Amino acid sequence: IRQAQFLKNVLEKLGVEIKKEDGDQQGEHMHAEGEECQHEEQGEEEEEEEDVDDDGDDDDMSEDVQEVLSHLNELRAHVTTVSTLHFQVAGDIMSITSPKRPWSDRKFLPSSQASSQVSTPSHQLRHVVELLTPASLKGGQGVISLVPGLESGFLIQSAPGPVYPSSSVVEIPQQGSPGGVSTSLRTVASLMVLGTYLTQMEGPFWREVRGAGLSYSFGVVTNLESGLVTFFLYRCANISKAYETCTRIVSDFATEKVAFDENSVEEARSGTIYEIVSREATLSDAAGESLINYFEGWGQGGWRKLLKYVQEVTVADMKKSLNDIVQVLFDNTRNNMSVATNEAKAADVRTELAQLGKNNLQIISS
């Protein structure tokens, strides 16, 4: 009851008119009857004490209401500042005479901000890669997190990779990404196809890692937002053995001890194309992607620009991505690693990974 009264006070302070529905009135009537029965069983002394307590609660409630109002007003100020506000309206916009007008006429924005200000936001969003510190990009770091009751093991490691290409960058590499990796659509496409090749069904990782029961899942993921390429092992029966196997597979391809299979490369191209196309599987997905493309600076089409380059990826392109980027990912002096396991296995996991070249792993409690 006190929570309901508190919310009612907040709404009244905000100027919201509270209308009671028939069902609400009936519910209050039934609740009142139940309260009346309970009060009949209590003595008069308890009722007097409750009245005194209620007076104190009312004062506390009034202070709480003012505090909540202060937070709500601060929130409203943040979300209605035109210079930092982004609108996305999906639909047949070209058929509307003044698509910006409803947002100002309906007083969604504060009256102090003129409707003429409703234009392209001046505030530029920053990518995660811009927020990473030099210390976070320094390689050779690693932790083992203790998770009580965890039966399987989990591993993730990352290294600098390509960042978002600007809409004008197509074939000319853009230098200056965190790891010194040339960024272009062709680079991104070949890296994505390579990741799919290594991890696809009946691919190298699948046969030797999942087929041997070492890990349920794995992946090589290119994250353009953070400018990192990431390798992960999910639900490992044996973390160190699974990691050793994946490292060996990558090394075998890099040294050409194992050759790329042309049929599997074609399957990897198809799988990568499906991954890109599935981003816009529905109308709502397409609308969401258009907003993301705007934030990412890809311009109209966004990820679809990659399709042309994915189809053109060659074995030579994949070898270049393998040598320039993926080998760095598996270089324990240049990558950063995080492992999750239980306390009983932590010491053994650290010793085994140290034997594979990953030294200085710190054990921390979750």
Side-chain angles (χ1 to χ4, degrees), residues 314-321:
T314 64
V315 171
D317 294 329
M318 294 170 64
K319 287 181 179 179
K320 180 173 175 54
S321 292

Side-chain angles (χ1 to χ4, degrees), residues 3-278:
Q3 290 177 348
Q5 183 62 41
F6 173 75
L7 292 175
K8 180 181 178 183
N9 291 344
V10 171
L11 293 174
E12 288 177 348
K13 291 286 186 179
L14 291 173
V16 178
E17 182 179 355
I18 302 175
K19 296 182 179 180
K20 294 183 179 180
E21 301 292 338
D22 293 340
D24 295 336
Q25 293 177 348
Q26 182 179 1
E28 289 183 2
H29 177 69
M30 295 174 64
H31 183 72
E33 290 181 351
E35 288 288 324
E36 186 176 343
C37 293
Q38 293 179 2
H39 284 302
E40 290 177 358
E41 297 176 358
Q42 297 176 350
E44 294 181 358
E45 295 182 358
E46 293 180 353
E47 292 180 358
E48 292 177 359
E49 291 178 0
E50 287 184 0
D51 290 339
V52 174
D53 292 341
D54 287 343
D55 292 338
D57 290 342
D58 289 341
D59 293 338
D60 294 340
M61 188 181 298
S62 178
E63 295 178 359
D64 292 341
V65 168
Q66 294 302 324
E67 182 179 359
V68 170
L69 284 175
S70 175
H71 290 313
L72 288 175
N73 287 328
E74 183 181 359
L75 175 62
R76 181 168 58 183
H78 282 298
V79 300
T80 58
T81 301
V82 174
S83 61
T84 60
L85 199 61
H86 295 77
F87 290 101
Q88 186 203 27
V89 180
D92 189 9
I93 305 302
M94 303 307 295
S95 65
I96 302 175
T97 304
S98 301
K100 300 178 183 177
R101 183 175 178 181
W103 299 98
S104 55
D105 287 358
R106 295 179 185 243
K107 298 182 179 180
F108 176 80
L109 300 174
S111 57
S112 60
Q113 303 191 47
S115 60
S116 61
Q117 296 183 41
V118 183
S119 59
T120 303
S122 59
H123 177 69
Q124 287 296 112
L125 295 178
R126 301 175 66 185
H127 295 305
V128 172
V129 66
E130 300 176 61
L131 306 177
L132 296 179
T133 63
S136 67
L137 294 173
K138 180 183 177 181
Q141 305 176 94
V143 296
I144 297 178
S145 179
L146 303 181
V147 183
L150 189 64
E151 296 182 2
S152 301
F154 300 81
L155 180 148
I156 185 169
Q157 68 181 20
S158 62
V163 296
Y164 281 118
S166 66
S167 57
S168 61
V169 175
V170 179
E171 296 186 66
I172 302 175
Q174 175 185 341
Q175 303 292 337
S177 59
V181 178
S182 298
T183 296
S184 68
L185 291 177
R186 189 178 299 280
T187 301
V188 176
S190 64
L191 186 56
M192 292 179 67
V193 173
L194 175 61
T196 303
Y197 181 93
L198 293 172
T199 60
Q200 66 187 349
M201 185 178 295
E202 299 302 330
F205 284 6
W206 180 283
R207 290 192 303 268
E208 297 197 44
V209 178
R210 178 160 178 165
L214 300 177
S215 180
Y216 178 77
S217 184
F218 34 75
V220 177
V221 181
T222 303
N223 190 328
L224 302 181
E225 173 64 31
S226 62
L228 297 173
V229 57
T230 301
F231 165 73
F232 69 86
L233 293 170
Y234 175 78
R235 291 175 61 184
C236 297
N238 189 322
I239 296 177
S240 56
K241 187 63 176 177
Y243 183 72
E244 179 183 15
T245 302
C246 292
T247 303
R248 176 180 53 78
I249 292 172
V250 170
S251 177
D252 288 346
F253 278 105
T255 58
E256 298 187 358
K257 184 177 180 179
V258 176
F260 286 94
D261 178 71
E262 287 289 350
N263 292 330
S264 297
V265 170
E266 182 59 35
E267 292 174 2
R269 292 194 200 98
S270 299
T272 305
I273 290 173
Y274 174 78
E275 178 185 348
I276 296 172
V277 172
S278 62

Side-chain angles (χ1 to χ4, degrees), residues 291-363:
L291 180 62
I292 294 174
N293 290 337
Y294 168 77
F295 290 146
E296 294 170 349
W298 281 59
Q300 189 175 5
W303 282 89
R304 280 177 286 176
K305 295 178 179 179
L306 276 175
L307 295 177
K308 171 179 179 292
Y309 294 94
V310 169
Q311 294 172 343
E312 297 175 354
V313 169
T314 64
V315 171
D317 294 329
M318 294 170 64
K319 287 181 179 179
K320 180 173 175 54
S321 292
L322 180 69
N323 294 324
D324 293 348
I325 303 175
V326 177
Q327 275 204 294
V328 175
L329 176 62
F330 283 87
D331 183 345
N332 288 317
T333 63
R334 303 170 71 181
N335 63 31
N336 291 316
M337 177 187 293
S338 177
V339 178
T341 186
N342 60 49
E343 187 172 1
K345 297 180 180 179
D348 291 339
V349 169
R350 180 168 64 175
T351 300
E352 292 166 357
L353 289 176
Q355 293 173 353
L356 298 175
K358 191 61 181 180
N359 301 308
N360 303 323
L361 284 172
Q362 298 181 2
I363 298 180

